[in-house]
Amino acid sequence: MSGGALVRRRALLGTVVLVALVALAGLFSYLTRDGRTASNHAAAPPSSPSAPSSAPASPAANGRSAALPVPPDTRDPIAFGKAAAVALWSYDTRAYSQPELVAALHRWLTGEEKYVDADSVERQVPSPLLWGRMADSGQFATAVAAEAHFPEPFTRALQADPGAITQAYVYAVTVSGKQSIAWDGSPQGGAEDRSVTLAVQCRPDRPCVLVGVMPSVAP
C-alpha cells in the first residue's frame, strides 16, 4: 500500500470511529427497545464488572499451547473487543509461525474494504525477524482482558446524531488487561498492564468483526 493510501485509510478509520462515538445513543436505544437485554444483542454498559476474557494460562503438556485465536460468535461489541484484545496480546512462538498468527488475526477482520485497517492489526504482531529471535528462547504470552468499555467521548455525544452509526455499525471499545510473557525454562516470566482501543463492527444481522486498532487509547 502506498504512503498516500495508508494515510487515507488511517483517516477513514478515525472518521468511522468518530461517527461511532457520536452515535452511542442509538446503540443504547436499540438495546433497550421492546424489552431486549444485552445478552440478546450488543453491548454491556461502560465499566461493566463482567468476567475477564483470557487466553489459555499455560502451555499443553507437549509444550504446545492452544490453537491459533478464533473470533467469537457474538453480537456484543464489548465481549468481542475483550476477546480481540486477548488475541492481539497473546502468542506462542513454539506452537506456530508469525505468518500463521497474522493469517489467523486476518480472520477476525471485517470483509468490508471501505472500513478495514489490516495494517493496524498486523503491527500488533512481532515482526518476522523479532519473532525468530523470540522463538530461539521459546517465548510465549498469555493475556487477560479485565475490563472493557465504550470510551468517554461516547457519553459526551449522546445527544448527537443517533442514526449515524447505522451506516457502518462501528463501535470504539477500550480494553484494559494484563499480558504475561514467559520463556522456556522460565515459566513465571513477567507481566505488564495493557490497554487498547479497538474499532469493532457489529452489524445487526451478523457476528461482530474487527475493523482495526486505534493509534492511541481513548479513555
Side-chain angles (χ1 to χ4, degrees):
M1 182 180 293
S2 67
L6 188 59
V7 170
R8 287 193 295 273
R9 177 62 57 81
R10 297 287 179 276
L12 178 59
L13 176 60
T15 300
V16 167
V17 173
L18 179 60
V19 169
L21 293 173
V22 170
L24 180 62
L27 172 63
F28 287 142
S29 175
Y30 180 82
L31 290 177
T32 56
R33 70 183 185 184
D34 300 326
R36 296 186 185 219
T37 64
S39 63
N40 289 332
H41 194 93
S47 302
S48 171
S50 57
S53 297
S54 63
S58 61
N62 62 359
R64 309 280 280 187
S65 72
L68 289 158
V70 177
D73 184 1
T74 179
R75 289 175 169 80
D76 180 342
I78 295 292
F80 183 90
K82 292 174 74 173
V86 168
L88 292 172
W89 296 336
S90 305
Y91 59 84
D92 193 334
T93 64
R94 306 161 304 171
Y96 40 75
S97 68
Q98 192 264 9
E100 287 174 327
L101 178 56
V102 170
L105 292 175
H106 274 212
R107 290 191 282 273
W108 290 65
L109 295 172
T110 178
E112 298 183 37
E113 294 185 4
K114 182 178 181 180
Y115 303 119
V116 67
D117 185 1
D119 291 342
S120 68
V121 173
E122 292 177 11
R123 284 197 299 273
Q124 307 303 306
V125 180
S127 69
L129 178 60
L130 178 57
W131 185 278
R133 293 175 177 172
M134 292 159 53
D136 290 340
S137 59
Q139 184 169 321
F140 60 97
T142 57
V144 175
E147 188 274 341
H149 63 274
F150 298 119
E152 182 62 27
F154 269 122
T155 60
R156 298 199 303 265
L158 290 177
Q159 301 305 314
D161 183 5
I165 204 167
T166 59
Q167 176 181 353
Y169 284 98
V170 174
Y171 305 93
V173 179
T174 295
V175 185
S176 298
K178 190 177 293 290
Q179 181 190 53
S180 299
I181 300 175
W183 301 262
D184 282 345
S186 178
Q188 299 303 316
E192 63 177 7
D193 294 332
R194 298 292 301 269
S195 294
V196 67
T197 298
L198 305 174
V200 176
Q201 184 182 54
C202 295
R203 292 197 179 276
D205 60 341
R206 67 196 73 163
C208 296
V209 286
L210 185 60
V211 171
V213 180
M214 297 302 292
S216 59
V217 177

